[in-house]
Structures are given as C-alpha cells and as structure tokens.
Amino acid sequence: MRPNTVKQRLQNGESIINGWLVIPSPLSAEVVGLSGCDSVVVDLQHGMIGFDAALPMLQALSATPAIPLVRAPANDGPTIMRLLDAGAYGVICPMISTPEQAQAFVSACRYPPKGDRSFGPSRALLFGGDDYYAHADDSILTLAMIETQQGLDNVDDILGVDGLDGVFIGPNDLSLALGQAPSSEPDAEVVVQAIAHILARAQVHGKIPGIFCSSGQAAAKRLEQGFKFVVPGNEFTHLKQAAAAAVNQAQGSLNSQGSQRSTGHGAGGY
Ligand code: 3PY
Ligand code: MG
C-alpha cells in the first residue's frame, strides 16, 4: 500500500502542516496540494462539498505530494466508510463528545475484527494499491474533534480509545460551548485554558494534538505551543483576503485620482 507518510511522521513525533479545502473544486485541490503542505483535508462538514464533489478533489490531490484527508460531515459510519473507499487516508470527525462516539468513529475506519468497516475499497485500491486491505487498518489516520463541553469533560476517556490517533480542536465550536463568541483564534481565558488542557492531556496520552487555525501566522504559533497537526487557514479565506487586498491596492490609485468606488466585503475569514 502507498504509505501514509503523514501518519508515519506524526507517529515519529514530527509536525504536519495541513491544507484545508471548502470550495468544491478539483483545481483548488491541486493548487493547495502543490503548495508545500504535507496533507490536505477535503471538508465535507462546513465546506460546500458533497461526496460527488469530494471524489474528483481526492483524485486531483493524487497528482500532488499531499496526503488526502477528509473531514466527515458527521460521525456517520456509512459516510465515513464511503470516503475511505474513495481514497481518503485519514478522517477528522466533528463533535466527538464521549468515548462511545470516539469508539464508533474508529470502528468505522477499521475492518473486522478491529472495527466494523464494510469491505469495498474501490478507488482506495487505485490510490493505495492492491495490498490496501492488508495495511489499511494501520495506515488510516483517525482524529476526533474536541469542540463541545462534554468532549472537553471527557477528553481523557476519548484519548484513551484504542485506535484513535489523536484529537483535533475546533476553536470556534469550543468557544461557543464555553459561552464565548466563535473564533478561530480565541483569546477568552476560559477557551485559552481549555485548549491548553486538551493539548496537555493529548501529550500525556501520547496522542496527536491538532487544531484548526485561520492563517499561517496562527498555525506557526500553535506549532510553537506544541501542536503537531495545524492548518494555515483554508483556501476560501486565502482567496477572499488576496482578492480584497489586490482590489484595494488597485482602488488606492483610483482614489488618489479622486474617484469614488464601492468597497468589497472585506478580508474577514475563519
Ligand atoms: C471549529 O472551529 O469549530 C471547527 O470545526 C474548525 O473548522
Ligand atoms: Mg467545529
């Protein structure tokens, strides 16, 4: 089977920079896959992406060195299994609040007797190779999102689930769960403390600590903090910011000539 170099490197204690896709476009997937990041997530939860759009995006990622990952829309076994059959080498599962939910998630990613993944890898055979079945259980990366109060309370039991490789913090939902406004880079003390707690517990359990971030600068800070799987923003935010900056630059010249122009939607992202 084609090796999952990202899982191997994480198991060796290395850090991974992961691209993030929310626009349903194989071309965007190719661009981000060639940006130098180690892996790329196709986001079927908050991305504008269904299974039929995700498949050609995973195919486009095959033309890049990035390892193809997905965020599942929910902790739904059949959906997770289908995404693995399409060639995803790892799954981020949102809203994991209990060890039972984490166990069900991991089980969907492992063939019997370890789990209850149904057999039929179709495209995974093309991407992974004919020996996919023999190595899939050990190769597929499983990250459970901690982003609810219950998930925070149960973080030790979730981290203790056999076969779960690590946790991935959703700072926006975690902020909401703790009574704060959603933010990818929260500064409310209660959220800062919760994030530090999840990181510390993952380190104690020897599991991968990951977190969503809104920019390269924010991702660099999270790496310094000790996170091992970070996101330098998604392609939607990058496009929005770059487009607004380019237009603003051009408008600067017109404004200096006294022309009144409409302003865009700004550079905000998440
Ligand atoms: C969150 O911040 O809640 C996320 O799920 C990131 O996409
Ligand atoms: Mg979330």
Side-chain angles (χ1 to χ4, degrees):
M1 179 173 168
R2 185 197 302 242
N4 187 342
T5 49
V6 157
K7 180 159 172 170
Q8 289 171 349
R9 288 173 56 197
L10 286 164
Q11 285 172 334
N12 290 337
E14 290 178 46
S15 300
I16 292 299
I17 298 175
N18 173 83
W20 197 276
L21 300 169
V22 300
I23 300 174
S25 162
L27 188 56
S28 299
E30 203 173 2
V31 169
V32 175
L34 290 169
S35 68
C37 56
D38 304 298
S39 52
V40 175
V41 162
V42 179
D43 181 3
L44 288 92
Q45 186 197 23
H46 290 299
M48 304 291 102
I49 301 169
F51 180 84
D52 289 350
L55 174 60
M57 293 174 76
L58 292 168
Q59 289 173 310
L61 286 173
S62 302
T64 79
I67 294 293
L69 308 176
V70 293
R71 174 160 70 174
N75 192 6
D76 176 60
T79 304
I80 290 170
M81 293 177 206
R82 200 142 180 256
L83 289 164
L84 292 173
D85 289 347
Y89 260 30
V91 182
I92 295 179
C93 188
M95 297 280 178
I96 296 291
S97 295
T98 66
E100 291 77 18
Q101 289 172 359
Q103 180 58 57
F105 162 48
V106 170
S107 190
C109 299
R110 309 281 183 246
Y111 290 121
K114 287 187 182 155
D116 61 4
R117 180 178 174 191
S118 174
F119 189 77
S122 45
R123 181 176 178 268
L125 287 180
L126 301 180
F127 181 72
D130 284 344
D131 58 346
Y132 179 84
Y133 164 70
H135 303 286
D137 283 354
D138 291 335
S139 301
I140 300 301
L141 181 70
T142 55
L143 297 178
M145 288 197 73
I146 305 295
E147 50 183 353
T148 64
Q149 177 71 61
Q150 214 189 349
L152 182 61
D153 295 342
N154 289 328
V155 69
D156 274 297
D157 290 338
I158 292 169
L159 282 160
V161 168
D162 196 30
L164 183 73
D165 295 310
V167 287
F168 183 77
I169 298 174
N172 288 281
D173 281 311
L174 188 61
S175 297
L176 284 172
L178 297 174
Q180 307 297 317
S183 170
S184 292
E185 315 305 332
D187 51 18
E189 195 51 27
V190 64
V191 188
V192 169
Q193 292 298 331
I195 289 174
H197 175 68
I198 297 165
L199 169 62
R201 297 319 297 166
Q203 288 167 335
V204 165
H205 284 262
K207 301 245 166 140
I208 300 156
I211 187 164
F212 185 82
C213 329
S214 59
S215 69
Q217 200 180 19
K221 278 197 196 145
R222 291 303 188 191
L223 288 172
E224 282 162 25
Q225 192 183 355
F227 283 95
K228 294 293 185 183
F229 183 98
V230 299
V231 180
N234 64 40
E235 95 290 33
F236 173 86
T237 304
H238 294 152
L239 178 61
K240 194 163 179 277
Q241 290 172 344
V247 172
N248 280 342
Q249 217 169 13
Q251 277 176 341
S253 155
L254 290 177
N255 291 343
S256 67
Q257 294 168 36
S259 162
Q260 290 300 313
R261 310 276 302 182
S262 68
T263 51
H265 278 242
Y270 68 92

